[in-house]
Amino acid sequence: PDAGDALVETSWDLSGTGRLVAIGWASINPSDRIHDRSIALIDTASGARRELGRVPGVVHAAPRFGPDDLWLVAQRYLRSADGYAHRSLWRYDLAADAATDLTGTWDRWPAPWAVSRASSTQTAILTTAEDRARTPLFAVDPDTGAATLLGPSDGSWDFVAAVPGQHAVVGVRSSLLAPPDLAHLDLATGVLTPLARLSGFTLDPATVARVRELAVPVAARADGTERTLQAFLVEPVAPADGHTPGNGRTLFWIHGGPVASWSDHWHWRWSSLAMAARGYRVVLPNPSGSTGFGMDWVNDIWGNTWGGRCYDDLMRTVAFLEAEHGLAARDMVAMGGSFGGYMTNWIGGQTDRFRLLVTHASLFDMSAFHGVTDVPAWWELMMGDHPWGGRDFDRYSPHRFVSHWKTPTLVLHGERDFRVPLGEGLALFEALQRHGVPSELAVFPDENHWILKPRNIVAWYETVLDFFDRRWDDAPPSPTS
């Protein structure tokens, strides 16, 4: 009854005995105005509560109990102004009140799902971790922190549970070409068995598209370390809806975040397969900031650098596609949502090499955005600055370069978006109209930062595809940059 907003957007677990609940407990840190999150350990009979890991700047998620209520594990990180924090698994021994960092030396971000106990001596923490554009399953030793790959390394796991009394797990698996469905993995033999086809998806995705993986050389770090960008190329293989495969049209799709990634998993909201089914090639690049490639790669996007390193990565990827795969930028649409929308807006003011632009829920004016987003303090931490800091906060703000914008553009936004409020989309559209850029605006009045309602998502895709069909020949005949 005294939780207040401490349990907003939290995660929790019930112990095997039923005597305890572990749940993330949020409190505002007065120094940076961002939520810290300890673990509240609640007695289910009395409601008595004690907190674990309450440290300024520390955030916990996904607590999972070990056997007999003796310990629990959770993802933990320490927020810092120096960069994105490494997420690690920490073990809390409940009787001794001791905490141990299990995976601090593992350059991945593990997300625990369950604790498997096949026998009294065989206990493992079942965790997924993004790893080079996949999300495989690992067993983490609760004593040593050693991580062992379980089952296939391709595709992606989600919602994993241990099978009681067996050395096995069940979970949801998917890939870019396979919708989420239940699977059983025997940990002793490594045999993966489909359990049910609950997705309702009847089309064989292999008849629609094939996936290739690309390795793109990009600019080295300041210390000379070579860098290679990973990307997926999803190509249509059969005619559909009157469109011909290989029609020369390519979607260069930029993910949000920026701390996120395109991975080998099914994403109905950003569906490359839906676009391939209409005859479009789809390029899914993982530039600086993308997760699953180590902390150095993530932190290449830290601070007020959004229009620098990431933009350079993407433009080098386009040049690679042109030189190595014959995919001309003039036959590409650059598109993205949230940070991907920001990057699309930045591209609009920097180059007219693309045929069209599609920008969803996007940042346009960084200073204006700062005061109206629902997370201004977190935004300030990421930028390392604020509009009143006396430095060039807007140096990578797309609104400064709108006079250079030439490419026909579709602007999409949800009216209930509090992360990137609608005003950003309206300001962008007005600026494009004022500067004579061929542009269209579509607002979804009952949607937020995401488009969530099934009929609306159909309308969203049809709006985008219709824009491509109508506007493909509106772009200037030749690029100037």
Side-chain angles (χ1 to χ4, degrees):
D2 59 343
D5 65 352
L7 302 182
V8 173
E9 296 185 344
T10 193
S11 50
W12 61 278
D13 193 29
L14 176 67
S15 72
T17 66
R19 293 194 298 259
L20 296 171
V21 166
I23 190 165
W25 196 270
S27 58
I28 288 288
N29 186 319
S31 66
D32 61 9
R33 301 181 297 130
I34 301 173
H35 279 105
D36 299 336
R37 199 177 294 273
S38 60
I39 297 173
L41 202 62
I42 301 173
D43 185 289
T44 56
S46 68
R49 183 181 82 239
R50 67 184 175 109
E51 288 187 64
L52 306 174
R54 188 177 181 86
V55 179
V58 164
V59 177
H60 293 85
R64 301 289 179 249
F65 280 101
D68 303 322
D69 300 0
L70 297 177
W71 53 268
L72 62 80
V73 66
Q75 187 192 72
R76 166 175 159 157
Y77 68 87
L78 175 63
R79 194 167 57 251
S80 169
D82 298 328
Y84 290 104
H86 177 57
R87 286 151 172 77
S88 179
L89 292 186
W90 280 63
R91 169 173 164 163
Y92 288 90
D93 289 283
L94 303 185
D97 206 17
T100 304
D101 184 356
L102 290 176
T103 61
T105 60
W106 189 21
D107 199 13
R108 293 295 183 266
W109 287 354
W113 287 101
V115 174
S116 170
R117 190 183 186 190
S119 69
S120 60
T121 60
Q122 198 171 28
T123 302
I125 303 160
L126 302 175
T127 180
T128 52
E130 292 176 278
D131 184 40
R132 301 202 59 80
R134 279 89 180 166
T135 309
L137 180 63
F138 297 89
V140 174
D141 188 296
D143 297 315
T144 67
T148 303
L149 178 69
L150 300 176
S153 60
D154 63 332
S156 295
W157 284 92
D158 221 341
F159 305 106
V160 177
V163 180
Q166 298 181 27
H167 195 39
V169 301
V170 293
V172 176
R173 276 185 56 81
S174 70
S175 71
L176 282 166
L177 298 182
D181 272 311
L182 286 171
H184 176 280
L185 177 65
D186 187 310
L187 300 181
T189 65
V191 174
L192 183 68
T193 306
L195 286 181
R197 290 297 301 271
L198 302 179
S199 65
F201 194 83
T202 57
L203 179 67
D204 179 2
T207 66
V208 177
R210 62 176 174 266
V211 178
R212 286 196 282 163
E213 190 168 0
L214 309 178
V216 183
V218 292
R221 292 191 174 85
D223 63 2
T225 305
E226 295 298 322
R227 300 168 69 250
T228 302
L229 179 149
Q230 185 273 349
F232 290 111
L233 175 59
V234 183
E235 300 173 295
V237 298
D241 299 327
H243 292 263
T244 303
N247 61 8
R249 298 184 179 187
T250 302
L251 308 185
F252 190 73
W253 211 335
I254 307 165
H255 68 66
V259 181
S261 69
W262 293 118
S263 64
D264 187 19
H265 85 288
W266 185 275
H267 205 315
W268 65 269
R269 177 63 189 92
W270 310 111
S271 175
S272 56
L273 195 62
M275 295 304 191
R278 295 289 287 265
Y280 291 87
R281 297 186 191 92
V282 184
V283 178
L284 306 173
N286 280 317
S288 293
S290 300
T291 49
F293 302 90
M295 287 304 302
D296 286 344
W297 193 264
V298 169
N299 276 315
D300 276 341
I301 200 70
W302 182 259
N304 193 354
T305 62
W306 281 17
R309 172 74 81 177
C310 187
Y311 175 75
D312 184 69
D313 283 354
L314 294 171
M315 294 305 100
R316 289 174 185 267
T317 302
V318 172
F320 175 87
L321 292 168
E322 290 185 310
E324 301 296 327
H325 296 273
L327 303 182
R330 294 303 297 165
D331 292 322
M332 289 186 193
V333 178
M335 59 186 284
S338 194
F339 171 80
Y342 158 83
M343 187 52 65
T344 303
N345 295 345
W346 181 251
I347 286 169
Q350 303 300 312
T351 178
D352 61 355
R353 69 196 304 175
F354 294 99
R355 175 74 63 147
L356 300 170
L357 301 176
V358 176
T359 177
H360 172 85
S362 64
L363 285 72
F364 177 59
D365 184 335
M366 285 187 164
S367 287
F369 167 80
H370 181 91
V372 295
T373 179
D374 63 342
V375 287
W378 179 250
W379 161 251
E380 181 176 322
L381 183 72
M382 284 195 298
M383 289 294 104
D385 198 7
H386 53 74
W388 312 280
R391 289 175 283 178
D392 190 5
F393 185 78
D394 283 334
R395 62 176 176 159
Y396 290 124
S397 183
H399 83 281
R400 295 181 56 210
F401 301 92
V402 71
S403 62
H404 302 162
W405 199 311
K406 298 180 178 66
T407 309
T409 301
L410 172 63
V411 180
L412 303 120
H413 223 106
E415 190 169 346
R416 298 178 179 177
D417 190 344
F418 299 116
R419 183 58 41 88
V420 183
L422 174 60
E424 289 292 292
L426 297 179
L428 168 60
F429 180 64
E430 169 58 23
L432 295 177
Q433 291 283 296
R434 177 63 182 79
H435 287 83
V437 178
S439 48
E440 300 178 17
L441 172 70
V443 175
F444 290 78
D446 58 344
E447 296 287 4
N448 56 46
H449 197 55
W450 290 63
I451 305 298
L452 297 175
K453 297 178 174 64
R455 291 183 180 180
N456 284 344
I457 193 62
V458 171
W460 189 93
Y461 279 106
E462 291 299 335
T463 299
V464 170
L465 289 163
D466 176 66
F467 177 77
F468 294 165
D469 289 342
R470 289 185 295 101
R471 292 286 193 172
W472 195 262
D473 295 325
D474 287 357
S478 61
T480 59
S481 59

